[in-house]
Amino acid sequence: MGKIIAIANQKGGVGKTTTSVNLAAGLGALEKKVLLIDADPQANATSGLGIDVDQIDKGTYQLLEHELSADNVILETNSPNVKIIPAHIDLVATEIELVDKEEREFMLKTALNKVKKEYDFIIIDCAPSLGLLTLNALTASDSVIIPIQCEYFALEGLGKLLNTVKSVQKLYNKSLDIEGMLLTMFDSRLRLSNQVVEEVRKHFTEMVFETIIQRNVKLSEAPSFGESIISYDLSSKGAENYLKLAQEIIDKQ
C-alpha cells in the first residue's frame, strides 16, 4: 500500500516543488515506484519533469472534479520509476468549483483510493496557500513534509500551517502525521543559515530531518532542462542531498 506524502507550506519560494520533483526522482532512483501529483496551478512540477504544460488536457483538475479516474490522467516521465498526474492553469478554478460540492475535502482522497496500492510512494506538490487544493492534499495524505528555507523569515507562518495540520487531523484525517521539517536553501557560509538550522532544531527537535538541502546552482538549473537533479547531474550536491533525504524517508517507514 503506497504512502501518500504532501509537500506543503503556504509560503512561496521555500523549495516545495524542488523537493517534490527531486524527492520523487530520488525515491525512483532507489527503486521505489513513485507517483508525483502536481496540485499547484503553476504546474512547475509538471514542467520540471519535462512535460509541456500547454499540451496538457487532462490532469489533477479532472481528477479532483471526478471527471476522470486516476488511471486516465497518469503520465510517464523521464525519471525512472516516476509517473505524474500533471497540472494546468485550469486548476485555479477548482477552488471555486468545489466549494458547493458535498465531501469537497475528500475529492482527492477518493480519487487516489483506486491507485494507492500500485505505488510505494505518492508525493503531492501543494500550492503555496492553505486553500481547498492544499486541504484536499492533506486530507488524502498519510503525512506531510514542511520545507523551511534557511533565511530570515523562515519560521514566519509556520504556526499557521501547523494549526491547519491540527485542524485537518481533527476534522478530516485523524491519521495525518508530520513526516518531518526539511531545511532548504542552506548556505554554510552564512551565519544566518546556521542560526536558522539551530533555531528550528531547538524548537522542533525530532521533527526535523537529518538531511539538509544545500543551495546549489545545478539544483536551480535542472528544471529549465525539464529534468530532476538526479538525471541532470548525479554528482552534484543537490542530487546527493535528495538521495540522502529519500533514503532517510525509506528508513523511517
Side-chain angles (χ1 to χ4, degrees):
M1 199 65 154
K3 179 165 195 179
I4 304 179
I5 303 175
I7 316 284
N9 190 328
Q10 77 274 26
K11 284 185 70 164
V14 297
K16 275 190 302 296
T17 300
T18 301
T19 294
S20 302
V21 168
N22 294 308
L23 173 58
L27 289 165
L30 296 172
E31 301 189 338
K32 298 294 177 188
K33 287 183 75 179
V34 185
L35 176 62
L36 175 62
I37 300 172
D38 194 344
D40 182 351
Q42 294 174 80
N44 291 337
T46 302
S47 59
L49 280 179
I51 292 162
D52 184 351
V53 177
D54 294 330
Q55 301 300 313
I56 296 300
D57 57 0
K58 51 189 182 183
T60 313
Y61 174 82
Q62 285 76 14
L63 187 72
L64 280 162
E65 297 279 348
H66 290 187
E67 286 176 16
L68 291 170
S69 69
D71 283 331
N72 296 121
V73 294
I74 292 172
L75 299 178
E76 297 285 339
T77 74
N78 53 21
S79 263
N81 299 316
V82 180
K83 292 183 181 179
I84 190 170
I85 296 179
H88 186 269
I89 192 67
D90 285 359
L91 202 49
V92 168
T94 308
E95 297 268 347
I96 301 155
E97 289 170 15
L98 289 184
V99 160
D100 54 359
K101 294 204 175 174
E102 278 184 44
E103 303 280 282
R104 59 183 180 268
E105 298 86 3
F106 296 90
M107 294 303 214
L108 188 57
K109 185 183 177 74
T110 307
L112 291 180
N113 281 339
K114 295 164 190 157
V115 293
K116 194 175 176 182
K117 60 183 181 301
E118 295 169 30
Y119 298 91
D120 298 306
F121 291 95
I122 296 176
I123 307 288
I124 308 174
D125 183 27
C126 294
S129 74
L130 295 177
L132 205 43
L133 284 172
T134 299
L135 194 53
N136 259 273
L138 293 174
T139 302
S141 295
D142 298 301
S143 65
V144 56
I145 290 174
I146 302 169
I148 299 171
Q149 84 278 42
C150 296
E151 286 170 9
Y152 187 66
F153 291 115
L155 300 179
E156 192 186 59
L158 193 56
K160 198 172 176 189
L161 177 60
L162 293 173
N163 283 338
T164 301
V165 170
K166 273 184 199 150
S167 300
V168 172
Q169 285 167 330
K170 204 158 110 184
L171 298 169
Y172 311 115
N173 183 0
K174 286 184 175 59
S175 56
L176 179 66
D177 217 353
I178 292 180
E179 187 75 26
M181 296 183 178
L182 177 68
L183 291 155
T184 63
M185 304 179 194
F186 176 73
D187 186 338
S188 58
R189 298 164 304 179
L190 299 179
R191 207 170 96 210
L192 180 62
S193 271
N194 291 290
Q195 284 172 339
V196 171
V197 170
E198 215 174 284
E199 199 173 334
V200 172
R201 289 206 192 281
K202 187 174 81 185
H203 282 292
F204 299 104
T205 57
E206 298 297 302
M207 286 163 77
V208 187
F209 283 107
E210 199 57 48
T211 305
I212 293 177
I213 309 300
Q214 290 160 286
R215 269 199 188 281
N216 180 246
V217 175
K218 299 284 187 191
L219 208 47
S220 310
E221 287 174 1
S224 61
F225 291 89
E227 291 185 48
S228 75
I229 189 63
I230 313 294
S231 55
Y232 181 63
D233 187 352
L234 188 55
S235 64
S236 68
K237 205 64 174 157
E240 186 188 310
N241 290 166
Y242 277 108
L243 282 166
K244 191 178 168 204
L245 176 66
Q247 191 61 59
E248 191 175 345
I249 287 168
I250 291 166
D251 292 344
K252 278 176 79 173
Q253 306 313 313

